[in-house]
Amino acid sequence: MTRPFNFSAGPAAMPEAVLQQAASEMLDWHGSGMGVMEMSHRGKEFISIYEQAEADFRELLAVPVQFKILFMQGGGLAENAIVPLNLSRGGAADFVLTGSWSEKSFKEAGKFCQAHVAASSHASQFTQLPAASSWQIGKDSRYVHVCSNETIHGVEMHQLPDLKALGCEAPLVVDFSSHVASRSVDWSRVGLAFGGAQKNLGPAGLTVVVVREDLIGHALAHCPSAFDYKLVAQNDSMYNTPPTYGIYMAGLVFQWLKAQREGELTGVAAMAQRNLAKAELLYNFLDGSQLYENRVAKDCRSRMNVPFYLRDESRNEAFLAGAKARGLLQLKGHKSVGGMRASIYNAMPMAGVQALVQYLRDFEQTQA
Ligand SMILES: *Cc1c(COP(=O)(O)O)cnc(C)c1O
């Protein structure tokens, strides 16, 4: 039985091989007589799962030794509060507004620190990125926040900003929830990166935080203990019970990622090449069609989330019904922007994008 192709923005499709492995280990993990959900997080079985997952994530994304990898809960939205609680030190922080998610981060941080807007592409309806040279960063800013892939607006930073080159010593904070592990990360430009797992790493409930050691240990007095990076790091993410099953599933995804190949490339480099090819196929078709359009500037289009519109919006329902009948699921756009959205994360094979493009072409022909 072949499964449908699932274009959900998140929680999103998982690699089928990972789901099958998890199913086969559900009742008895490696002869332990226990399922992973039933294990103590302090037992040797789970500790081995945790250590392998952390080591694999570090290897896949080449995370340098001076960064800690924390497995937390609360998702990207909780980090919007946890980051200022840990990094703001009672001062100000700057935000680059490039879509819904960075706007949310800015609003939430305002409850915990002085949040400033360094730049915004709101005037372009978030179809462009503001040039880094135009950012107005405060002299005493404690950190600068960007969302490197805007899941709703389909805007991606293909390069992280080099704050030092802008004369700014503050650390860069990156929300990479919706493209983590789809491409490499230039850690020399990053102070902290966070992401919920449910787009590209595993099930909802796990949040991965990668934080440079010198940024740990400065939490405000009223920061909840479970959200104090120092306590979380000192306890190897086990200050409180971590999301054990989510860590296990993400660990299986990391193993799957390590086994991926594209020519000479492996792991995240292989994924980056495959993701680029998938995105090019879809964008090239959309750009060449009379019926569909993507409105994002070409130099900042997301390789993960592709929003598009039917020029005749009265055809939206028919489009979605026809897609579903072909086994192409969850293509409806986010309610705040309407239209359609195809999320083509790591777990979406090239065959899924090819099937989508075939459907787009066939549907356009029936409209002629
Ligand atoms: C999905 C998403 C979030 C929110 O994650 P939650 O787990 O719902 O808190 C934050 N930022 C980005 C970029 C996202 O795509």
Side-chain angles (χ1 to χ4, degrees):
M1 188 196 86
T2 59
R3 304 177 80 224
F5 292 114
N6 178 355
F7 294 90
S8 172
M14 299 275 290
E16 192 171 326
V18 166
L19 294 177
Q20 273 162 357
Q21 187 175 346
S24 76
E25 294 177 344
M26 179 64 74
L27 300 186
D28 181 6
W29 183 82
H30 294 203
S32 66
M34 299 177 279
V36 175
M37 268 181 264
E38 307 170 302
M39 291 173 182
S40 165
H41 57 299
R42 308 208 183 271
K44 69 173 184 342
E45 294 88 356
F46 184 74
I47 299 276
S48 75
I49 291 171
Y50 162 87
E51 286 177 345
Q52 187 70 47
E54 190 200 1
D56 285 343
F57 183 83
R58 192 178 285 280
E59 180 185 329
L60 278 165
L61 279 173
V63 180
V65 286
Q66 70 269 28
F67 285 79
K68 291 274 191 219
I69 296 168
L70 311 179
F71 292 141
M72 300 180 67
Q73 308 198 43
L77 283 191
E79 290 302 323
N80 288 340
I82 297 169
V83 170
L85 282 166
N86 279 275
L87 265 54
S88 70
R89 307 188 201 190
D94 275 288
F95 291 78
V96 180
L97 307 190
T98 53
S100 301
W101 289 111
S102 47
E103 272 195 326
K104 272 196 183 162
S105 300
F106 163 67
K107 284 188 190 132
E108 181 73 4
K111 296 181 186 173
F112 305 98
C113 70
Q114 299 157 45
H116 295 149
V117 176
S120 170
S121 53
H122 191 268
S124 75
Q125 296 183 339
F126 298 126
T127 58
Q128 294 171 8
L129 285 173
S133 55
S134 72
W135 298 0
Q136 305 280 319
I137 302 170
K139 269 194 208 39
D140 50 0
S141 190
R142 296 297 194 174
Y143 67 91
V144 178
H145 175 111
V146 299
C147 176
S148 50
N149 186 64
E150 289 280 1
T151 321
I152 293 173
H153 288 87
V155 175
E156 182 169 7
M157 293 183 176
H158 294 300
Q159 237 186 343
L160 289 175
D162 182 355
L163 292 184
K164 281 206 187 73
L166 300 175
C168 170
E169 290 300 321
L172 182 71
V173 169
V174 184
D175 176 357
F176 64 2
S177 295
S178 54
H179 74 164
V180 53
S182 72
R183 59 193 306 165
S184 62
V185 175
D186 181 352
W187 293 105
S188 72
R189 298 185 172 183
V190 175
L192 181 150
F194 69 81
Q198 72 270 27
K199 316 290 167 58
N200 224 357
L201 300 181
L206 166 66
T207 316
V208 177
V209 178
V210 184
V211 53
R212 219 173 56 208
E213 266 163 1
D214 61 289
L215 301 176
I216 297 176
H218 311 287
L220 299 175
H222 60 277
C223 177
S225 302
F227 295 155
D228 180 339
Y229 292 141
K230 185 174 176 191
L231 284 175
V232 179
Q234 275 175 347
N235 291 281
D236 294 323
S237 299
M238 301 212 193
Y239 174 74
N240 65 329
T241 312
T244 54
Y245 201 74
I247 292 170
Y248 160 72
M249 289 295 287
L252 294 185
V253 171
F254 301 158
Q255 293 277 327
W256 177 84
L257 281 172
K258 283 171 69 172
Q260 297 306 300
R261 302 259 175 292
E262 288 290 332
E264 300 287 289
L265 303 172
T266 63
V268 168
M271 292 317 307
Q273 175 155 314
R274 192 182 302 167
N275 288 328
L276 180 59
K278 281 154 52 185
E280 278 183 348
L281 175 65
L282 184 49
Y283 283 115
N284 284 342
F285 178 79
L286 294 172
D287 288 345
S289 99
Q290 300 298 308
L291 179 62
Y292 313 100
E293 61 170 336
N294 170 280
R295 299 171 184 166
V296 179
K298 285 192 175 161
D299 63 352
C300 57
R301 286 174 167 181
S302 171
R303 295 175 188 171
M304 298 278 98
N305 310 99
V306 183
F308 62 94
Y309 295 88
L310 274 60
R311 290 199 169 91
D312 176 3
E313 296 240 292
S314 72
R315 304 305 298 152
N316 282 359
E317 289 311 316
F319 175 86
L320 289 166
K324 193 170 175 200
R326 284 218 195 169
L328 307 171
L329 306 182
Q330 307 206 63
L331 284 162
K332 193 174 178 155
H334 190 271
K335 59 184 186 300
S336 65
V337 294
M340 308 296 157
R341 173 172 51 172
S343 293
I344 50 175
Y345 299 119
N346 284 346
M348 176 62 63
M350 179 53 110
V353 180
Q354 287 165 340
L356 174 61
V357 167
Q358 185 63 50
Y359 173 65
L360 291 166
R361 186 179 288 121
D362 292 348
F363 185 81
E364 181 165 3
Q365 269 161 15
T366 66
Q367 306 301 302

